[in-house]
Amino acid sequence: MEDRQRKIQVTNLKKSFGKLEVLKDISMDVYEGEVVVLLGPSGSGKSTLLRCLNQLETATDGKIIVDGYDVTDKHTDINKVRENIGMVFQHFNLFNHLNVLDNMTLAPVHLKLMTKDQAKRTAMQLLERVGLRDKASAYPSQLSGGQKQRVAIARALEMKPDILLFDEPTSALDPEMVGEVLAVMKELAAEGMTMVVVTHEIGFAREVADRVIFMEAGYIVEEGTPEEVLSNPKEPRTIDFLSKVL
Amino acid sequence: MSFIVQTYGTMLLKALGQTLLLTLLSLVFAMIIGMIFGLMNVGKSRLFNFIGTIYVDAVRGVPLIVLAYFIYFGVPTGMKALGAADFRLTALQAGTIALSMNCGAYMAEIIRAGIESVDRGQMEAGRSLGLSYGATMALIVVPQAIRTMIPSIINQFIITLKDTSILSVIGFPELTNTGKTIMGNTFKSLETWAIIGIMYMVVIVTLSKVAKQVERRVNRGR
């Protein structure tokens, strides 16, 4: 693992909202091609940690280096860094006034990363991949939750990111739609995408994660392979949490 | 009544034209003012929030008629005191400024509310794709906000049209002021004000019907 390129390096990250200290002292690394799953009870700070990685939340203290850029440095062009970090949200956040194709092509065309034609072609290929080729001209309101989330993933992929962040991607879905989204994520993992995933899907973590990080109350309590953390947890708090969700 | 229509018909139509001119000019400037201060109030900058709030509160806190007097009579006097002796404002200029400022403050609130009604996730999604704050606002948030803003903007449009009558006090020859003139000449107050009232009503009802159509069309694409 050590000879692989380090994609994300978090050192002593702290994040407070007013007086509430959500992240107390977080250090972690993510290597190229690795799938890291963040687990923990709600309020443990896992979503906040994820959102700090692309600076949707600004860190209160500590250092985050992504793709070689110090994103906690005010002089870093955060927009440039974000082009390479895709994010998938719990509530999809598709642009409601645009159809699927425009949702996907808006950013790369506006940022002049692709021509309109290139963007469209790439978008159609990606839609094919997530099984939604026939939905290219549909509006988000015409899609099911699972379809929306697959479009959201395709939209993130359209930017050709090095890293994908997933913030509880299946939590807002009806149970029968969880599978189709997880299938796309598994495929991405198999292709070597670097992924950081906040999820409650223990099964996904067990099957796909290279590493599981268990968080509670703003700290990393335990981390290791899914085998270590999920099957043989050492920390009492991890054991307690797993006994409740499994 | 037919006597008034026959004698003063062209004058009344011209006055209606002036009313509409004043309304349209004011609306255009009010949109610009509203956009600027509305966006100031939405952003994270404390300084901009402060400026935006001051503007909205100050203008909304002053009756339009006082604002009109202040701009038409007060400002030129002040300019004279500052040494610009030949500074003058026509009634149209002063009226447009007063109405734009007034309507702009309300527009700013409409625009702020419209933008705040768009889910925060839309901004986050845009930013996470590498788009700047401005680009996300312009391409993603504002287009969605406009849909919710349309009914309020139309409402404000109608209020502004009616408010032009207040500017009769600075002698601008719009519909109400012309009504005063006609009444002074003919002493037929019932007929005169009935005609003036109907003219306003016809224009406003027509506009709101058109507006309803526009609203329906915009909502269809949702």
Side-chain angles (χ1 to χ4, degrees):
Chain A
M1 187 85 65
E2 296 302 324
D3 55 332
R4 279 208 273 176
Q5 199 194 338
R6 224 182 329 206
K7 278 294 199 186
I8 300 174
Q9 190 178 3
V10 179
T11 338
N12 303 114
L13 171 66
K14 293 185 180 67
K15 171 69 187 174
S16 305
F17 295 102
K19 278 187 181 159
L20 184 70
E21 206 178 14
V22 179
L23 298 178
K24 284 170 185 147
D25 186 7
I26 301 281
S27 297
M28 68 166 211
D29 295 327
V30 178
Y31 292 86
E32 190 172 5
E34 204 181 13
V35 177
V36 174
V37 167
L38 299 177
L39 276 184
S42 50
S44 59
K46 49 197 194 311
S47 278
T48 306
L49 170 58
L50 193 78
R51 291 160 59 84
C52 280
L53 298 181
N54 67 351
Q55 290 292 288
L56 281 185
E57 303 292 354
T58 41
T60 309
D61 195 17
K63 207 169 184 179
I64 303 170
I65 294 173
V66 178
D67 257 349
Y69 296 96
D70 182 353
V71 297
T72 43
D73 181 352
K74 281 200 166 33
H75 302 290
T76 305
D77 181 1
I78 188 66
N79 294 331
K80 206 76 206 151
V81 184
R82 282 177 180 151
E83 288 178 8
N84 289 319
I85 317 174
M87 187 159 200
V88 177
F89 299 87
Q90 180 177 3
H91 296 288
F92 330 123
N93 298 354
L94 293 181
F95 307 135
N96 298 314
H97 63 309
L98 300 176
N99 68 22
V100 166
L101 204 58
D102 291 337
N103 257 279
M104 296 176 66
T105 56
L106 175 80
V109 172
H110 181 80
L111 296 168
K112 300 196 166 61
L113 305 174
M114 294 183 211
T115 66
K116 185 96 192 156
D117 279 347
Q118 283 173 322
K120 267 189 190 165
R121 234 174 299 131
T122 319
M124 290 312 291
Q125 285 163 6
L126 287 167
L127 284 175
E128 178 92 61
R129 239 177 92 181
V130 299
L132 292 170
R133 199 187 160 81
D134 54 325
K135 296 290 183 190
S137 56
Y139 280 84
S141 59
Q142 299 166 316
L143 302 178
S144 73
Q147 291 172 332
K148 280 184 198 169
Q149 196 61 300
R150 283 185 282 153
V151 170
I153 295 173
R155 179 176 71 179
L157 289 173
E158 174 88 5
M159 296 292 291
K160 303 192 167 74
D162 301 346
I163 304 168
L164 275 183
L165 309 176
F166 292 85
D167 189 5
E168 302 202 24
T170 57
S171 300
L173 296 177
D174 291 337
E176 76 268 25
M177 289 170 186
V178 170
E180 63 192 65
V181 172
L182 291 182
V184 172
M185 291 169 65
K186 275 178 208 167
E187 214 182 290
L188 287 172
E191 285 165 19
M193 176 65 77
T194 310
M195 292 161 61
V196 183
V197 185
V198 172
T199 187
H200 297 293
E201 297 290 331
I202 305 288
F204 175 82
R206 200 185 293 280
E207 195 179 335
V208 181
D210 295 304
R211 196 145 48 92
V212 174
I213 293 179
F214 179 75
M215 288 179 69
E216 197 191 37
Y219 292 105
I220 291 177
V221 174
E222 189 167 359
E223 69 173 292
T225 63
E227 186 66 20
E228 288 164 354
V229 177
L230 299 174
S231 304
N232 306 296
K234 289 177 197 70
E235 296 291 328
R237 278 172 297 180
T238 318
I239 297 167
D240 183 52
F241 175 77
L242 288 172
S243 73
K244 279 173 191 151
V245 296
L246 283 179
Chain B
M1 199 177 269
S2 65
F3 165 73
I4 289 179
V5 172
Q6 271 165 14
T7 320
Y8 295 100
T10 17
M11 195 179 173
L12 282 168
L13 283 179
K14 231 179 241 167
L16 180 64
Q18 294 293 309
T19 293
L20 290 175
L21 174 72
L22 185 57
T23 311
L24 284 177
L25 279 177
S26 304
L27 271 173
V28 169
F29 291 120
M31 280 303 278
I32 297 168
I33 294 172
M35 211 57 185
I36 293 170
F37 287 103
L39 285 172
M40 277 188 170
N41 276 336
V42 162
K44 271 186 185 161
S45 155
R46 290 246 174 92
L47 177 67
F48 282 169
N49 290 166
F50 183 70
I51 297 171
T53 314
I54 293 260
Y55 178 80
V56 171
D57 284 354
V59 174
R60 285 205 304 187
V62 176
L64 179 57
I65 194 164
V66 175
L67 189 63
Y69 279 141
F70 180 80
I71 288 167
Y72 190 57
F73 299 115
V75 170
T77 312
M79 293 299 279
K80 226 163 268 170
L82 288 172
D86 27 331
F87 181 86
R88 268 186 195 83
L89 284 173
T90 66
L92 176 64
Q93 287 166 343
T96 307
I97 294 171
L99 208 51
S100 305
M101 283 178 72
N102 180 271
C103 181
Y106 290 97
M107 282 292 186
E109 283 298 275
I110 291 170
I111 287 166
R112 182 191 57 76
I115 288 173
E116 282 174 358
S117 75
V118 176
D119 181 60
R120 214 165 53 109
Q122 297 286 311
M123 174 58 83
E124 290 183 349
R127 297 307 307 273
S128 77
L129 289 166
L131 296 173
S132 66
Y133 176 84
T136 310
M137 223 12 144
L139 298 173
I140 295 161
V141 179
V142 170
Q144 295 186 59
I146 283 175
R147 285 181 176 173
T148 50
M149 288 174 345
I150 281 176
S152 312
I153 290 177
I154 291 166
N155 200 25
Q156 192 56 44
F157 185 86
I158 289 167
I159 291 171
T160 304
L161 203 155
K162 289 203 259 188
D163 277 355
T164 54
S165 65
I166 292 174
L167 298 173
S168 62
V169 299
I170 58 170
F172 183 68
E174 46 67 65
L175 208 44
T176 305
N177 198 19
T178 305
K180 280 193 213 164
T181 310
I182 294 172
M183 206 196 66
N185 290 344
T186 62
F187 299 105
K188 291 178 186 292
S189 59
L190 179 68
E191 291 93 328
T192 307
W193 293 119
I195 290 171
I196 300 279
I198 288 168
M199 287 178 81
Y200 276 115
M201 208 193 299
V202 168
V203 174
I204 287 169
V205 170
T206 313
L207 279 177
S208 25
K209 293 274 183 250
V210 172
K212 270 264 148 34
Q213 287 297 321
V214 174
E215 199 186 323
R216 209 166 295 157
R217 188 160 305 168
V218 170
N219 281 336
R220 207 175 292 155
R222 214 181 266 242

